[in-house]
Amino acid sequence: MRGLFSIFIVLFCSMTMYGQENITVRGIVTERETGESAIGVSVVVRGSSIGTATSIDGDYSLSNVPKNAVLVFSSIGRMSQAVEVNGQTVLNVVLSEDAALLDEIVVVGYGTQTVRDLTAPIAVVKASDISKQAVANPMQALQGKVSGVMVSTSGAPGSSPSIRIRGLGTVESNASPLYVVDDMFVSDISFLSSNDIESMTILKDASSSAIYGVRAANGVVLITTKKGSRYEQKPTIDYNGYVGVQSLSNNFKMSNSEQYKTLMGEKSAIQNVKPIDFTNYTADTDWLDQAVQSAMMHSHGLSISGNTGKSNYFVGLNYLSQEGVIINSDYQRTNLRAAQDINVNKYIKAGYNINLSYADQNNTNGDALGSAFYTPPVIPVFNADGSYSDPSEVVRIANSAAQFHYNKFNKTKGFKYLPNIYLEVKPLADLKLKSSFTLDGSNSNNKVYVPVYRVSDSQKNELSTFRKSDDSYMNYTFDNTLTYSKVINKHRFSAMAGFSMIHFHSSWLEASVSDISYIGESSLYIKNGDQSTLKVNDDGEKIRSLSYFGRFFYAHDDKYLLTTTLRRDGSSTFPSANRWATAPSVGLAWIASEEGFMNSLRESKTIDYLKLRASWGIMGNNNVPQNAYRTVVNSGGEFSTVFGPWGSANISQGANITAIKESTLTWETVREYDLGFEIKMLNSRLDFELDYYHRTTRDAIFPFPVMGVNGSTSYSILRNNADILNKGFEFTLGWHDKINDDFSYNLGFNLAINKNEIVKLAPGTIPFFSGNSVNGSQAIYTQLGRPVGEFYVYDVIGIFQNEQEILDYKSSNGTPIQPEAKPGDFKYADLNDDGILDDLNDRTSIGSYMPKGVYGINLGLNYKAIDFSMDIQGVWGNKIYNFKRVQRFGNENYDHDFYTNRWNGENSSNTYPSADINGRKNPLPNTFWIESGAYIRLRNIQLGYTIPEMSSKKMGISKLRLFVTAQNPLTLFGYNGMTPEMSGTGVQKATEQGIDNQIYPSSATYTFGVNLKF
């Protein structure tokens, strides 16, 4: 202790003596390529916190500078330059453009690193790429930007996209990544505005993600929000806004009235029943057209930021309003952000970051959208007297227009608060201690009111109903880290250690009541209804966790790099015997371009930079179904009994255990290794990166069969009894060049190929069917040796053309295979040749909703004051279950594609069935209902113009940019639906996705916007 105190005194005296010979240094920083002033360049005294930034004229002034100090000039996009002061009071510096950006700082778990020091495949998306797209959720802007990241979006206002990083490694658990906003853990980022985000960092492999332990199995997305300037700067006001219109990206076409009548006639003839008399049905209604609309969307963001020298600050207010292309759906969100970093002195720094968000959403009526698809066009919307028509005269379907009208009150309001405070202490120049406390809370309220109405005997509500639910959660996190960094000759290293405590509590309450009078939303309270109809249900959960973690980084001669991490997690989510887990990782990198034998290639600019990487790590997934291991005792009327003599009225409440649970359930564990390399060539104009990964999820939670005689209401329990493999390649290629002072461009391409497979099941585990069903038959099957959630269906080998073909279709032993079939029906393959079509022996695997490949193409052009960008994104190798086609029980309408290609007589079609598609075995899951989900989409195209600086200055404006954007204006695909993009919710099971059961359609958005800076 005495020795440590002596060292501290020596260091203090040295710093005091060092500060006695100080001067003020001034100068101008310019750009070599343009000769213009370099704005916002940071000027820092190396090894200290003394610094400033260049003004709009490129000048700077820095006081209290030691005469023998070294000034470091740096700016994103330019090569950093270190200049020795040597007592000079004027230093003018010229910076060159740095295409390599190897010294750029990126955010990693609990810290930062330069791009050069990374030993893992980490991708960064900047604010400029995010803000170019008119999206409600910032994650939507990632589509096509990062290899290995699959983003599936829904057109529903305010919806969160489905994110999958490097495939799918779970069956029953949540497959969404972990989101970390400024070191704060959140489940999604729908509360954030794109205007608030500075950058997104995606941790894709285990070595980079393992620092987050058992929450990182599905990848990690780090969000850095905007703050004030790092160095002294006067207040800057920014406005970013746009207004636009949305429309369906694909106008899906249904059969018209005459086509429908033709189809119904053919169906009646096949069924040998009397056809419907359509004499009095003269309407020709496009019911889908009645359900959609052109929708407005606008966003406005206003912020003020700056730096007083002692602290930086940022305050931002954002508002988003989005109508839905389906009527009666919309979303509004208001965000308020405030952040400040305060330099108390050169040893202590403190700050806060506060996020407040309020959302108000009208939810669409999904049943009404389905009714609009199925309702026959011969039915008018209204009767002659103005009342709603009754489609049940032809088919048992509700009038979708009436559904939208009477069932339109479905509102969700939510408030989220995310405050964070931190304290950072630097007792020594190389040592930093940081503590932070985060409170993550939200409250949401949903109200659904249905009035009394009557359209028909089958579409009515004779007693008004009201349902209300309240959800709330509170999550607080206390993080503490200690970081030490040091450079000794050719050795550079840093070490970080820390611990984290998390407490999570949530509650949910739902109540419903009938017979409530509606005189406005203010009357919608449970107490105003008939209390005899009151129903109440509530639930909740509490989770506590404690974590210890650390990271060590070492670089020798800036050529040989090592990164190791270790995390130890304990959580109350699991039984005490399985409560703790350890997640280690290691990453190695060799910057080969720094070796002597590469000098000639480096000097000739043939190869400017070459890095080889290898990494390995373990991480986990604790997002398992809650209470999956806890035995629950249920009570209810069915368990009550009477004790006593005959005729006794003494009822005793009973209870029973109705579900068997696995008491040793634990988290899923992911083990992954990654091999990759990065290369920059031709004067750093060409970038190329390639990675191969091998990711195995061990102890994946998988249903295990149990006997019904055990008293369980379920025929399976959840156990850690599966291993799931994801392996693949990620490829990124970029080219950027500057032709002259007026014209520059960039072109990028990224590609990811993934293979998913269940490679191991515990003995006794059997495959299982899942997903939507027709007549009890499901299309998704999860089994050993195949992908998770794969479609497993009967193979259609043709269409029966006549009766003789049906009679002749027999197995090798002479057994008729489909004797009940009729001409125009599907002809199924009898794969085991036994004359019987059964689920386990005659179905075939045909693929899953997860693509085999995802790719993106990005283009950018800059000519003087004009900028242009374009993003293209696509997928292939994925399948969609066209459930809306197969789910038919009567005289529903048909889509136009079916009408055009149907079987309507011998040899008319050998691929499409007859109009009687819901007869006999036609509705069975089969290859006809499974379609390709491949598509290529023009995701975003933007054209901008920046007003010349001299003109904007005359208006008192620092920068004024105008732009127009088209988002999703064109999609090429073959799927017979409104959109090929199947976006399941983040918590939806992997074995229930890829089914088109009237999903919300995607929209094309056209906007005009302004970027304004004062």
Side-chain angles (χ1 to χ4, degrees):
M1 189 69 175
R2 182 179 300 172
L4 182 61
F5 179 77
S6 300
I7 294 174
F8 178 80
I9 293 297
V10 171
L11 289 172
F12 179 78
C13 294
S14 300
M15 288 187 289
T16 304
M17 295 175 61
Y18 183 73
Q20 290 175 350
E21 299 290 328
N22 293 346
I23 59 176
T24 297
V25 181
R26 297 179 176 86
I28 297 175
V29 182
T30 56
E31 297 177 348
R32 183 179 301 279
E33 291 78 13
T34 64
E36 297 179 354
S37 301
I39 305 171
V41 175
S42 68
V43 186
V44 184
V45 176
R46 178 182 285 174
S48 77
S49 59
I50 302 172
T52 186
T54 57
S55 69
I56 195 170
D57 297 317
D59 59 344
Y60 72 94
S61 178
L62 196 60
S63 58
N64 202 31
V65 178
K67 288 184 177 181
N68 60 344
V70 175
L71 297 187
V72 179
F73 298 80
S74 62
S75 176
I76 294 177
R78 302 184 182 99
M79 294 182 66
S80 298
Q81 193 171 146
V83 181
E84 295 182 357
V85 176
N86 289 330
Q88 302 175 79
T89 57
V90 178
L91 285 177
N92 297 324
V93 175
V94 179
L95 294 183
S96 300
E97 187 178 75
D98 182 11
L101 297 177
L102 296 177
D103 294 322
E104 182 179 352
I105 301 296
V106 298
V107 177
V108 295
Y110 301 100
T112 60
Q113 281 186 300
T114 65
V115 172
R116 182 186 295 271
D117 288 342
L118 296 177
T119 59
I122 294 176
V124 179
V125 180
K126 292 297 184 182
S128 56
D129 294 318
I130 299 170
S131 61
K132 286 181 179 179
Q133 301 197 36
V135 293
N137 190 300
M139 291 302 296
Q140 294 174 253
L142 286 185
Q143 286 187 296
K145 296 288 188 183
V146 181
S147 64
V149 179
M150 177 186 170
V151 182
S152 301
T153 62
S154 166
S159 61
S160 296
S162 172
I163 312 296
R164 299 291 180 262
I165 297 177
R166 289 191 166 182
L168 181 65
T170 186
V171 174
E172 292 286 334
S173 304
N174 189 343
S176 297
L178 169 67
Y179 298 95
V180 183
V181 180
D182 294 326
D183 293 331
M184 299 175 285
F185 292 2
V186 294
S187 57
D188 69 74
I189 59 170
S190 58
F191 66 94
L192 273 181
S193 167
S194 298
N195 292 326
D196 286 334
I197 295 179
E198 182 66 33
S199 66
M200 289 187 186
T201 303
I202 295 88
L203 309 181
K204 295 189 289 185
D205 80 322
S207 70
S208 59
S209 302
I211 193 68
Y212 291 110
V214 296
R215 304 183 69 166
N218 302 312
V220 181
V221 179
L222 305 179
I223 311 294
T224 303
T225 57
K226 293 179 179 178
K227 293 186 177 182
S229 171
R230 292 176 57 195
Y231 305 106
E232 189 169 351
Q233 184 185 73
K234 65 180 181 179
T236 300
I237 299 175
D238 287 90
Y239 168 78
N240 297 283
Y242 62 81
V243 60
V245 63
Q246 304 167 94
S247 60
L248 282 181
S249 58
N250 176 45
N251 291 312
F252 190 68
K253 191 175 182 180
M254 299 295 294
S255 297
N256 62 29
S257 183
E258 289 304 313
Q259 294 165 347
Y260 173 76
K261 292 175 182 178
T262 299
L263 290 164
M264 292 305 297
E266 294 174 1
K267 178 181 177 181
S268 299
I270 294 172
Q271 294 180 342
N272 195 26
V273 298
K274 182 179 179 180
I276 300 174
D277 184 2
F278 289 112
T279 303
N280 297 323
Y281 293 90
T282 59
D284 189 8
T285 307
D286 187 339
W287 285 90
L288 278 181
D289 187 61
Q290 297 290 322
V292 302
Q293 63 181 357
S294 294
M296 293 294 296
M297 181 179 185
H298 57 98
S299 173
H300 310 276
L302 184 65
S303 67
I304 180 170
S305 62
N307 190 311
T308 64
K310 282 290 187 181
S311 72
N312 66 50
Y313 56 89
F314 178 95
V315 179
L317 179 65
N318 293 276
Y319 175 75
L320 170 74
S321 177
Q322 181 184 17
E323 293 181 341
V325 292
I326 301 298
I327 61 176
N328 296 336
S329 63
D330 59 65
Y331 176 77
Q332 291 86 37
R333 184 188 64 216
T334 304
N335 302 81
L336 176 63
R337 264 198 74 242
Q340 186 176 18
D341 298 312
I342 305 168
N343 294 308
V344 179
N345 53 45
K346 61 181 180 181
Y347 302 112
I348 301 175
K349 181 179 178 181
Y352 63 84
N353 195 330
I354 301 173
N355 289 272
L356 303 176
S357 177
Y358 176 77
D360 191 342
Q361 184 170 4
N362 284 320
N363 305 300
T364 188
N365 189 316
D367 293 337
L369 182 60
S371 297
F373 178 86
Y374 291 118
T375 304
V378 297
I379 306 295
V381 177
F382 298 100
N383 297 316
D385 60 1
S387 60
Y388 285 107
S389 64
D390 179 14
S392 64
E393 297 174 359
V394 178
V395 61
R396 293 188 62 83
I397 288 178
N399 185 311
S400 61
Q403 284 180 292
F404 280 120
H405 177 73
Y406 291 120
N407 299 62
K408 64 183 179 183
F409 195 96
N410 186 339
K411 296 179 180 291
T412 301
K413 298 180 180 181
F415 177 69
K416 183 175 181 64
Y417 46 97
L418 189 68
N420 166 266
I421 58 174
Y422 76 88
L423 177 67
E424 185 176 293
V425 180
K426 294 187 66 175
L428 300 173
D430 301 321
L431 187 65
K432 180 175 68 175
L433 172 66
K434 183 178 180 180
S435 294
S436 68
F437 179 82
T438 302
L439 183 64
D440 177 14
S442 76
N443 298 95
S444 64
N445 172 273
N446 177 250
K447 295 180 179 180
V448 180
Y449 175 74
V450 182
V452 175
Y453 69 89
R454 181 183 180 84
V455 176
S456 64
D457 289 339
S458 59
Q459 186 179 1
K460 61 183 178 179
N461 190 49
E462 297 178 336
L463 199 63
S464 63
T465 59
F466 174 59
R467 185 181 75 250
K468 177 183 179 181
S469 64
D470 287 294
D471 298 89
S472 66
Y473 75 80
M474 181 74 70
N475 182 25
Y476 63 78
T477 304
F478 184 44
D479 287 331
N480 298 269
T481 59
L482 181 66
T483 305
Y484 180 76
S485 303
K486 192 69 177 178
V487 178
I488 304 175
N489 298 326
K490 293 184 178 183
H491 307 279
R492 182 163 50 91
F493 64 88
S494 66
M496 182 273 294
F499 70 91
S500 175
M501 294 183 293
I502 299 176
H503 178 95
F504 175 84
H505 177 265
S506 67
S507 62
W508 170 77
L509 175 66
E510 181 182 76
S512 63
V513 72
S514 299
D515 195 16
I516 186 169
S517 299
Y518 178 77
I519 56 175
E521 188 172 353
S522 60
S523 65
L524 295 181
Y525 290 95
I526 294 296
K527 68 177 183 178
N528 293 332
D530 182 356
Q531 297 303 296
S532 66
T533 64
L534 176 64
K535 296 180 180 179
V536 179
N537 190 17
D538 71 336
D539 202 353
E541 62 182 15
K542 180 184 292 186
I543 301 173
R544 295 177 181 177
S545 65
L546 178 64
S547 305
Y548 303 95
F549 50 86
R551 176 176 51 235
F552 177 76
F553 169 78
Y554 171 73
H556 176 70
D557 203 17
D558 285 337
K559 291 186 292 186
Y560 313 108
L561 312 176
L562 167 70
T563 304
T564 63
T565 68
L566 181 67
R567 185 173 179 117
R568 179 76 170 162
D569 282 307
S571 173
S572 63
T573 302
F574 300 98
S576 56
N578 296 326
R579 192 151 288 175
W580 288 88
T582 303
S585 78
V586 60
L588 299 170
W590 173 37
I591 304 179
S593 54
E594 294 297 317
E595 299 289 357
F597 61 81
M598 296 284 290
N599 285 345
S600 60
L601 292 175
R602 195 169 61 249
E603 291 171 359
S604 66
K605 299 298 182 181
T606 303
I607 295 180
D608 304 280
Y609 178 75
L610 174 62
K611 179 196 285 187
L612 305 179
R613 293 184 277 99
S615 61
W616 170 90
I618 298 176
M619 50 192 177
N621 184 12
N622 68 345
N623 288 318
V624 301
Q626 290 300 308
N627 297 318
Y629 77 91
R630 292 186 174 94
T631 300
V632 178
V633 178
N634 295 303
S635 60
E638 67 271 24
F639 303 123
S640 300
T641 188
V642 176
F643 288 101
W646 178 261
S648 174
N650 296 322
I651 300 177
S652 298
Q653 176 66 58
N656 190 24
I657 298 175
T658 60
I660 300 174
K661 300 297 181 70
E662 175 57 73
S663 61
T664 60
L665 195 72
T666 187
W667 31 48
E668 300 171 332
T669 303
V670 174
R671 299 171 184 262
E672 179 181 18
Y673 65 83
D674 182 285
L675 303 173
F677 73 89
E678 306 166 23
I679 188 170
K680 297 180 184 295
M681 304 175 64
L682 306 178
N683 201 19
S684 293
R685 290 176 296 176
L686 179 65
D687 302 326
F688 176 69
E689 187 171 348
L690 178 66
D691 278 273
Y692 169 77
Y693 63 89
H694 188 281
R695 171 185 295 222
T696 303
T697 303
R698 296 186 179 181
D699 299 322
I701 295 176
F702 199 92
F704 189 87
V706 296
M707 299 291 290
V709 295
N710 292 321
S712 175
T713 56
S714 173
Y715 293 101
S716 65
I717 62 174
L718 297 181
R719 281 186 176 177
N720 301 100
N721 55 353
D723 286 358
I724 303 171
L725 172 65
N726 284 278
K727 61 180 179 179
F729 290 92
E730 294 171 357
F731 172 90
T732 302
L733 181 67
W735 174 271
H736 42 88
D737 196 10
K738 186 172 183 179
I739 305 302
N740 52 47
D741 292 341
D742 293 330
F743 181 63
S744 62
Y745 68 97
N746 62 274
L747 179 65
F749 173 75
N750 65 80
L751 169 68
I753 299 173
N754 181 74
K755 181 181 179 181
N756 177 266
E757 181 184 355
I758 298 176
V759 294
K760 180 182 178 182
L761 286 178
T765 306
I766 62 174
F768 66 96
F769 284 99
S770 57
N772 297 46
S773 66
V774 174
N775 297 330
S777 188
Q778 297 171 303
I780 296 179
Y781 195 54
T782 301
Q783 60 178 320
L784 182 65
R786 304 299 305 177
V788 174
E790 187 179 38
F791 296 114
Y792 192 62
V793 295
Y794 292 99
D795 186 17
V796 175
I797 57 176
I799 303 296
F800 287 114
Q801 300 296 322
N802 50 54
E803 292 287 352
Q804 189 60 48
E805 187 175 337
I806 297 172
L807 294 173
D808 292 341
Y809 188 45
K810 301 177 181 179
S811 64
S812 58
N813 62 10
T815 303
I817 298 173
Q818 291 181 249
E820 77 292 344
K822 292 186 178 183
D825 284 359
F826 291 122
K827 182 179 182 180
Y828 297 124
D830 180 15
L831 298 181
N832 66 344
D833 194 29
D834 65 351
I836 301 172
L837 295 176
D838 62 88
D839 285 342
L840 296 181
N841 295 311
D842 293 306
R843 292 208 200 187
T844 185
S845 301
I846 197 172
S848 75
Y849 81 99
M850 288 293 294
K852 294 179 180 178
V854 182
Y855 59 91
I857 302 172
N858 315 113
L859 171 67
L861 301 172
N862 292 276
Y863 179 71
K864 293 186 177 180
I866 299 173
D867 61 271
F868 173 82
S869 63
M870 182 172 66
D871 299 322
I872 297 173
Q873 180 257 337
V875 303
W876 84 88
N878 57 316
K879 301 295 183 179
I880 299 174
Y881 184 17
N882 198 337
F883 193 72
K884 66 183 188 305
R885 259 188 170 179
V886 66
Q887 192 179 30
R888 309 174 62 85
F889 306 101
N891 300 325
E892 294 88 349
N893 195 17
Y894 303 77
D895 58 78
H896 184 264
D897 172 78
F898 181 86
Y899 169 81
T900 303
N901 298 286
R902 77 195 185 283
W903 183 94
N904 62 343
E906 191 167 347
N907 298 323
S908 57
S909 174
N910 198 39
T911 54
Y912 279 59
S914 70
D916 191 20
I917 60 176
N918 60 324
R920 296 156 299 284
K921 292 187 176 181
N922 289 332
L924 290 176
N926 63 59
T927 53
F928 178 79
W929 310 122
I930 308 299
E931 301 184 37
S932 171
Y935 68 85
I936 179 170
R937 172 169 285 169
L938 180 54
R939 181 63 64 180
N940 193 71
I941 183 169
Q942 186 176 97
L943 179 65
Y945 176 74
T946 302
I947 305 298
E949 185 177 345
M950 293 187 64
S951 299
S952 61
K953 280 186 175 181
K954 292 179 180 179
M955 296 184 287
I957 299 171
S958 298
K959 180 181 179 181
L960 174 59
R961 177 176 176 268
L962 309 175
F963 63 89
V964 290
T965 302
Q967 190 166 325
N968 300 338
L970 176 65
T971 306
L972 303 178
F973 63 96
Y975 173 65
N976 184 63
M978 302 184 86
T979 176
E981 199 168 1
M982 301 290 110
S983 176
T985 61
V987 297
Q988 185 179 5
K989 289 182 181 179
T991 55
E992 295 177 356
Q993 296 189 22
I995 301 174
D996 184 359
N997 187 22
Q998 302 304 333
I999 64 169
Y1000 200 106
S1002 61
S1003 59
T1005 307
Y1006 304 91
T1007 59
F1008 168 77
V1010 176
N1011 302 136
L1012 188 61
K1013 183 187 291 290
F1014 294 95

